[in-house]
Amino acid sequence: MEPVALDPGLAALLREEAARLGLAALDMPSGAGHDAQTMQGLCPSALVFVPSRGGISHAPQEATDWRDIEKGAQLMLAALLRLAGTAA
């Protein structure tokens, strides 16, 4: 599949919610083929990445601390609530 640009509006929303939650955020291009690559043709899509120990991803050695997984989940929840119009 050809690379696609993901939705800039959703990316901005994720950056804003990360800042509101006090989470460090970084825009990252991804060369990996994710579901969002396909979904972007159907609806606005974006990705949330969390740190992997040692920077290893897409390999059997990949591991992520539960604290970082929780932060990613909190960001996703905040973004979904905002998109649903129910954010505090």
Side-chain angles (χ1 to χ4, degrees), residues 9 11 22 32 35-36 41-43 45-46 51 60-61 63 65 68 71 86 88:
D35 291 342
L42 300 172
C43 62
S45 300
Q61 300 82 10
D65 293 328
D68 291 323
K71 289 176 185 177
T86 59

Side-chain angles (χ1 to χ4, degrees), residues 1-85:
M1 292 183 69
E2 290 294 317
V4 297
L6 297 179
D7 188 78
L10 283 180
L13 183 142
L14 288 168
R15 278 191 302 277
E16 292 166 10
E17 289 302 311
R20 190 180 65 75
L21 293 169
L23 302 174
L26 174 69
D27 285 352
M28 294 177 53
S30 173
H34 291 275
D35 291 342
Q37 185 178 14
T38 302
M39 292 305 295
Q40 182 61 21
L42 300 172
C43 62
S45 300
L47 295 167
V48 172
F49 291 100
V50 295
S52 295
R53 288 185 211 142
I56 299 169
S57 67
H58 296 87
Q61 300 82 10
E62 180 177 3
T64 300
D65 293 328
W66 282 109
R67 238 175 313 177
D68 291 323
I69 293 170
E70 182 181 6
K71 289 176 185 177
Q74 289 172 340
L75 175 57
M76 289 295 300
L77 177 60
L80 288 170
L81 289 172
R82 185 165 157 195
L83 288 167

